[in-house]
């Protein structure tokens, strides 16, 4: 399944001026990379996959439309999957994207 191009464009608008931004197709979607670290992925299955500070994971998971990211049957620490319905409003999308950018920006460049 191809990722939602409209959602990808909305995410691009939010991260487009970040230094070291690159896009890479992966996980069936489109990953926004900051200095070599994934920040946000527009998922092929819909919605987002967002990097979060592991210390803030529980708070992020308590938000509507958020759930733990699971890959190959294992939860991915520091990642949250966001349902498409939780990204419809610009303010909600901006909050999730900001969280991913902040978390990726705290990591050393690759």
């Amino acid at each position: 399944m191809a990722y939602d191009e409209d959602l990808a464009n909305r995410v691009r608008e939010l991260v487009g001026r970040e230094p070291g931004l690159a896009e890479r197709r992966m996980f069936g979607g489109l990953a926004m990379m900051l200095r070599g670290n994934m920040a946000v992925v527009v998922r092929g299955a819909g919605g987002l996959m967002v990097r979060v500070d592991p210390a803030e994971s529980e708070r992020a998971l308590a938000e509507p439309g958020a759930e733990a990211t699971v890959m190959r049957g294992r939860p991915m620490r520091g990642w949250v999957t966001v349902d498409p319905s939780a990204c419809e409003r610009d303010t909600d999308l901006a909050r999730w994207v900001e969280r991913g950018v902040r978390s990726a920006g705290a990591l050393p460049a690759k």
Side-chain angles (χ1 to χ4, degrees):
M1 172 187 285
Y3 60 87
D4 180 339
E5 193 64 49
D6 290 331
L7 181 57
N9 286 331
R10 291 174 60 215
V11 172
R12 283 182 186 111
E13 288 179 25
L14 294 167
V15 298
R17 295 180 185 194
E18 290 293 327
L21 176 71
E23 295 181 10
R24 177 183 281 170
R25 289 179 187 258
M26 57 177 36
F27 305 125
L30 182 68
M32 302 295 178
M33 314 280 289
L34 295 175
R35 300 175 317 152
N37 295 298
M38 279 192 295
V40 179
V41 179
V42 179
R43 300 175 66 233
L48 301 175
M49 194 170 90
V50 179
R51 181 183 293 274
V52 297
D53 180 335
E56 295 180 18
S57 289
E58 291 304 315
R59 192 170 116 203
L61 289 169
E63 292 191 34
E67 62 184 47
T69 298
V70 177
M71 292 203 131
R72 296 185 180 142
R74 302 182 104 160
M76 289 182 57
R77 188 167 190 262
W79 287 94
V80 174
T81 298
V82 182
D83 189 78
S85 65
C87 309
E88 289 175 352
R89 292 182 19 209
D90 289 341
T91 54
D92 293 332
L93 179 63
R95 186 179 69 254
W96 284 111
V97 170
E98 164 58 29
R99 186 177 270 147
V101 167
R102 186 175 58 244
S103 298
L107 299 172
K110 289 186 174 181

